[in-house]
PDB file of all heavy atoms in Angstrom:
ATOM      1  N   LEU A  83     -31.522  26.627  14.240  1.00 88.00           N
ATOM      2  CA  LEU A  83     -30.942  25.423  14.809  1.00 88.00           C
ATOM      3  C   LEU A  83     -30.894  25.646  16.309  1.00 88.00           C
ATOM      4  O   LEU A  83     -30.145  26.504  16.775  1.00 88.00           O
ATOM      5  CB  LEU A  83     -29.526  25.216  14.258  1.00 88.00           C
ATOM      6  CG  LEU A  83     -29.418  25.359  12.737  1.00 88.00           C
ATOM      7  CD1 LEU A  83     -27.965  25.331  12.310  1.00 88.00           C
ATOM      8  CD2 LEU A  83     -30.221  24.284  12.033  1.00 88.00           C
ATOM      9  N   PRO A  84     -31.695  24.898  17.059  1.00 83.00           N
ATOM     10  CA  PRO A  84     -31.801  25.188  18.495  1.00 83.00           C
ATOM     11  C   PRO A  84     -30.443  25.248  19.171  1.00 83.00           C
ATOM     12  O   PRO A  84     -29.614  24.375  18.988  1.00 83.00           O
ATOM     13  CB  PRO A  84     -32.622  24.002  19.024  1.00 83.00           C
ATOM     14  CG  PRO A  84     -33.410  23.540  17.856  1.00 83.00           C
ATOM     15  CD  PRO A  84     -32.522  23.759  16.658  1.00 83.00           C
ATOM     16  N   ARG A  85     -30.250  26.293  19.888  1.00 83.00           N
ATOM     17  CA  ARG A  85     -29.001  26.509  20.633  1.00 83.00           C
ATOM     18  C   ARG A  85     -27.787  26.684  19.725  1.00 83.00           C
ATOM     19  O   ARG A  85     -26.661  26.582  20.176  1.00 83.00           O
ATOM     20  CB  ARG A  85     -28.718  25.331  21.572  1.00 83.00           C
ATOM     21  CG  ARG A  85     -29.798  25.042  22.568  1.00 83.00           C
ATOM     22  CD  ARG A  85     -29.498  25.697  23.869  1.00 83.00           C
ATOM     23  NE  ARG A  85     -30.607  25.510  24.805  1.00 83.00           N
ATOM     24  CZ  ARG A  85     -30.770  26.249  25.874  1.00 83.00           C
ATOM     25  NH1 ARG A  85     -29.908  27.200  26.131  1.00 83.00           N
ATOM     26  NH2 ARG A  85     -31.780  26.068  26.676  1.00 83.00           N
ATOM     27  N   ARG A  86     -28.041  26.841  18.456  1.00 87.00           N
ATOM     28  CA  ARG A  86     -26.879  26.951  17.581  1.00 87.00           C
ATOM     29  C   ARG A  86     -26.932  28.153  16.662  1.00 87.00           C
ATOM     30  O   ARG A  86     -25.910  28.520  16.079  1.00 87.00           O
ATOM     31  CB  ARG A  86     -26.703  25.688  16.759  1.00 87.00           C
ATOM     32  CG  ARG A  86     -26.437  24.468  17.622  1.00 87.00           C
ATOM     33  CD  ARG A  86     -26.121  23.260  16.774  1.00 87.00           C
ATOM     34  NE  ARG A  86     -25.013  23.508  15.867  1.00 87.00           N
ATOM     35  CZ  ARG A  86     -24.732  22.720  14.833  1.00 87.00           C
ATOM     36  NH1 ARG A  86     -25.503  21.676  14.588  1.00 87.00           N
ATOM     37  NH2 ARG A  86     -23.716  22.977  14.054  1.00 87.00           N
ATOM     38  N   GLY A  87     -28.094  28.733  16.509  1.00 88.00           N
ATOM     39  CA  GLY A  87     -28.129  29.934  15.703  1.00 88.00           C
ATOM     40  C   GLY A  87     -29.087  29.888  14.536  1.00 88.00           C
ATOM     41  O   GLY A  87     -29.894  28.975  14.415  1.00 88.00           O
ATOM     42  N   LEU A  88     -28.961  30.870  13.693  1.00 92.00           N
ATOM     43  CA  LEU A  88     -29.876  31.039  12.583  1.00 92.00           C
ATOM     44  C   LEU A  88     -29.151  30.839  11.270  1.00 92.00           C
ATOM     45  O   LEU A  88     -27.974  31.139  11.141  1.00 92.00           O
ATOM     46  CB  LEU A  88     -30.428  32.459  12.582  1.00 92.00           C
ATOM     47  CG  LEU A  88     -30.951  32.966  13.900  1.00 92.00           C
ATOM     48  CD1 LEU A  88     -31.046  34.469  13.854  1.00 92.00           C
ATOM     49  CD2 LEU A  88     -32.280  32.321  14.173  1.00 92.00           C
ATOM     50  N   VAL A  89     -29.899  30.365  10.298  1.00 93.00           N
ATOM     51  CA  VAL A  89     -29.345  30.233   8.961  1.00 93.00           C
ATOM     52  C   VAL A  89     -30.347  30.797   7.972  1.00 93.00           C
ATOM     53  O   VAL A  89     -31.544  30.516   8.060  1.00 93.00           O
ATOM     54  CB  VAL A  89     -29.069  28.757   8.621  1.00 93.00           C
ATOM     55  CG1 VAL A  89     -28.546  28.628   7.209  1.00 93.00           C
ATOM     56  CG2 VAL A  89     -28.097  28.167   9.613  1.00 93.00           C
ATOM     57  N   VAL A  90     -29.873  31.598   7.051  1.00 94.00           N
ATOM     58  CA  VAL A  90     -30.743  32.122   6.007  1.00 94.00           C
ATOM     59  C   VAL A  90     -31.016  31.015   5.001  1.00 94.00           C
ATOM     60  O   VAL A  90     -30.097  30.358   4.522  1.00 94.00           O
ATOM     61  CB  VAL A  90     -30.076  33.322   5.296  1.00 94.00           C
ATOM     62  CG1 VAL A  90     -30.931  33.782   4.127  1.00 94.00           C
ATOM     63  CG2 VAL A  90     -29.878  34.447   6.282  1.00 94.00           C
ATOM     64  N   ARG A  91     -32.262  30.819   4.692  1.00 93.00           N
ATOM     65  CA  ARG A  91     -32.650  29.739   3.801  1.00 93.00           C
ATOM     66  C   ARG A  91     -32.994  30.232   2.398  1.00 93.00           C
ATOM     67  O   ARG A  91     -33.230  29.447   1.490  1.00 93.00           O
ATOM     68  CB  ARG A  91     -33.851  28.983   4.370  1.00 93.00           C
ATOM     69  CG  ARG A  91     -33.500  27.959   5.389  1.00 93.00           C
ATOM     70  CD  ARG A  91     -32.701  26.843   4.760  1.00 93.00           C
ATOM     71  NE  ARG A  91     -32.111  25.971   5.762  1.00 93.00           N
ATOM     72  CZ  ARG A  91     -30.831  25.614   5.763  1.00 93.00           C
ATOM     73  NH1 ARG A  91     -30.014  26.068   4.853  1.00 93.00           N
ATOM     74  NH2 ARG A  91     -30.384  24.794   6.688  1.00 93.00           N
ATOM     75  N   TYR A  92     -33.066  31.534   2.249  1.00 95.00           N
ATOM     76  CA  TYR A  92     -33.551  32.084   0.995  1.00 95.00           C
ATOM     77  C   TYR A  92     -32.475  32.042  -0.090  1.00 95.00           C
ATOM     78  O   TYR A  92     -31.339  32.458   0.126  1.00 95.00           O
ATOM     79  CB  TYR A  92     -34.001  33.530   1.203  1.00 95.00           C
ATOM     80  CG  TYR A  92     -34.489  34.186  -0.051  1.00 95.00           C
ATOM     81  CD1 TYR A  92     -35.735  33.884  -0.569  1.00 95.00           C
ATOM     82  CD2 TYR A  92     -33.699  35.111  -0.716  1.00 95.00           C
ATOM     83  CE1 TYR A  92     -36.177  34.475  -1.730  1.00 95.00           C
ATOM     84  CE2 TYR A  92     -34.138  35.721  -1.869  1.00 95.00           C
ATOM     85  CZ  TYR A  92     -35.381  35.391  -2.373  1.00 95.00           C
ATOM     86  OH  TYR A  92     -35.818  35.973  -3.527  1.00 95.00           O
TER      87      TYR A  92
END
Side-chain angles (χ1 to χ4, degrees):
Chain A
L83 312 172
R85 302 264 175 198
R86 297 186 55 195
L88 312 162
V89 178
V90 175
R91 278 294 168 229
Y92 179 76

